[in-house]
Amino acid sequence: CINKATLKETRFYFADCRNSDVGKYIPACSAGKFDYNVDRAKKIISVNVSNSLRDQDYYVRLCHKWFTCEDVGAFAVIKGKESFKSVSLKYSQPLPCLCIEGWLAIPDARRIQLCPFENDTKVLWDNIVYSPATQTIAWEPACPVLVMVNLCRLMKSNDHCEDIPNSSKNSPEKVKYSRVDTHPRLCMKFTTKQGSWVKCPFAHGEFPAWKMRTAAAAERIQVFFTSQTKAQFSVLVCNRTQLASCESVGIHHSVSLGDSVSITMSQEMCESTICIQGWRTDVDYSVPLQICDIHCGFRGQTYSDGNPAKAMTHRVKSVHSLH
Ligand SMILES: *[C@@H]1O[C@H](CO)[C@@H](O)[C@H](O)[C@H]1NC(C)=O
Ligand SMILES: *[C@@H]1O[C@H](CO)[C@@H](O)[C@H](O)[C@H]1NC(C)=O
């Protein structure tokens, strides 16, 4: 007859192979042991099996760990009878979910998984794809990851990337934004528990960009836009209360490419923290560019396009702009 204590122990045996006293009597609990070396230049992982019990054959493979570990091709058998218990597996990308799985060639063998690149999170943000036909920017995780994605505006002054409103997506799957401006300062921000990464897919100048500039004469500020593609713009006068936020003062205009808009400024506005903000309205996601520190032309004429070297007048003062 079986007493209560034995029953309890038996259940325990099968539930927990990690208990070494228990595990060594149950073949399926013997996972063997392996270690590995990575040759990043040759993209090869060498696996060395150190302890495969009773000369059993040992299997190793590479897999991508999602819900289960999905096969990625490389697979090898290490013969238990051979003294040299080592094998090389080739990988293509050092993804954080790329794991080495090893198990003894017996039914229901326990499998060990080691993931050599588990901390290489930043490779996940590399595969951003832009499709010009739909103006869509998309990112798809190559590994399961808990991430918040935002579009953001990269600030020139401090390399901070300020979130574009209503662009936050919390998704373990594909993230897509349609009708996106291809401005070099429009970036994608990925935030995980480990930190934040910013990727700027249009930063290298191969996509059409637009520019905003202002010219001041007396109490009027003229705002112009140039663009390599057809575009519509909005202009807003705002009061910069903090570095990251600029509150509308209620002056707002729409501008077509090639036109300009003229804004009447009071002397008080010229000398305060007032900025001119402009963005594209023919897309759903655009970076607002900002020209601040506006010196109106009360003492002559000044122009600013954020680049004093190209300014057209002798009265240019220091210009701080974010485009
Ligand atoms: C990943 O980082 C953790 C914490 O720093 C560390 O314990 C672990 O060994 C690292 N993994 C690899 C494969 O380097
Ligand atoms: C801008 O904001 C500051 C601080 O809130 C305020 O003192 C100032 O009057 C504002 N300027 C304008 C022109 O609204």
Side-chain angles (χ1 to χ4, degrees):
C1 88
I2 302 167
N3 67 30
K4 243 184 181 170
T6 319
L7 257 182
K8 200 172 161 199
E9 257 177 66
T10 310
R11 251 199 339 253
F12 179 68
Y13 285 180
F14 290 101
D16 192 1
C17 291
R18 283 168 299 182
N19 182 318
S20 58
D21 285 344
V22 172
K24 68 185 169 205
Y25 299 113
I26 299 165
C29 276
S30 315
K33 258 190 196 160
F34 66 84
D35 58 24
Y36 62 86
N37 280 303
V38 177
D39 183 335
R40 285 185 181 253
K42 291 187 181 139
K43 295 192 168 179
I44 287 173
I45 300 171
S46 315
V47 181
N48 311 298
V49 177
S50 55
N51 175 28
S52 82
L53 291 179
R54 300 180 207 99
D55 289 343
Q56 295 272 5
D57 289 354
Y58 198 76
Y59 292 137
V60 290
R61 66 162 185 159
L62 295 183
C63 56
H64 283 163
K65 200 169 175 179
W66 285 79
F67 183 63
T68 59
C69 219
E70 292 171 7
D71 217 347
V72 287
F75 181 93
V77 185
I78 297 170
K79 292 282 179 196
K81 295 221 165 55
E82 275 169 26
S83 54
F84 184 68
K85 292 191 168 62
S86 181
V87 72
S88 291
L89 300 171
K90 210 160 166 37
Y91 68 90
S92 56
Q93 238 194 318
L95 294 172
C97 58
L98 179 72
C99 301
I100 312 158
E101 191 172 65
W103 70 102
L104 276 171
I106 53 171
D108 302 322
R110 200 157 67 88
R111 298 182 175 207
I112 294 183
Q113 283 161 2
L114 299 179
C115 313
F117 312 109
E118 63 184 351
N119 297 331
D120 295 21
T121 320
K122 66 176 192 292
V123 301
L124 294 180
W125 325 131
D126 285 343
N127 54 331
I128 299 173
V129 177
Y130 176 72
S131 151
T134 54
Q135 296 177 287
T136 299
I137 191 172
W139 170 81
E140 201 163 5
C143 288
V145 62
L146 280 175
V147 63
M148 189 172 77
V149 185
N150 271 291
L151 294 181
C152 61
R153 164 172 70 129
L154 189 66
M155 316 275 276
K156 211 181 230 167
S157 49
N158 57 2
D159 275 345
H160 173 74
C161 203
E162 188 192 319
D163 291 350
I164 292 176
N166 304 322
S167 71
S168 186
K169 296 196 182 196
N170 226 325
S171 171
E173 279 156 32
K174 190 168 179 165
V175 170
K176 231 166 90 174
Y177 298 95
S178 296
R179 289 167 41 90
V180 172
D181 184 12
T182 55
H183 198 276
R185 296 193 154 266
L186 187 136
C187 305
M188 225 166 176
K189 179 155 75 185
F190 300 93
T191 308
T192 73
K193 266 194 291 190
Q194 276 81 43
S196 217
W197 289 265
V198 172
K199 289 278 170 181
C200 304
F202 311 117
H204 307 295
E206 66 265 48
F207 293 97
W210 55 274
K211 285 198 166 89
M212 175 173 77
R213 86 190 157 85
T214 60
E219 76 278 18
R220 302 189 79 73
I221 299 277
Q222 200 91 11
V223 186
F224 308 88
F225 291 93
T226 51
S227 169
Q228 289 154 279
T229 54
K230 233 179 104 186
Q232 282 285 124
F233 300 93
S234 239
V235 175
L236 179 75
V237 181
C238 64
N239 190 357
R240 195 172 48 165
T241 46
Q242 286 157 19
L243 187 63
S245 76
C246 201
E247 272 168 38
S248 170
V249 300
I251 303 172
H252 190 267
H253 298 273
S254 289
V255 194
S256 297
L257 188 62
D259 286 345
S260 70
V261 63
S262 178
I263 298 164
T264 306
M265 306 285 279
S266 65
Q267 182 109 35
E268 178 213 359
M269 284 162 79
C270 291
E271 284 167 4
S272 67
T273 50
I274 293 298
C275 304
I276 308 274
Q277 206 174 65
W279 66 92
R280 272 178 74 178
T281 53
D282 60 317
V283 289
D284 290 344
Y285 299 98
S286 172
V287 278
L289 299 190
Q290 220 163 266
I291 295 178
C292 299
D293 199 8
I294 299 154
H295 298 281
C296 304
F298 291 110
R299 280 164 287 157
Q301 280 205 331
T302 57
Y303 295 84
S304 80
D305 65 353
N307 186 353
K310 277 201 282 178
M312 305 122 107
T313 164
H314 57 291
R315 294 293 302 261
V316 174
K317 296 184 185 177
S318 73
V319 169
H320 175 71
S321 75
L322 291 169
H323 65 135

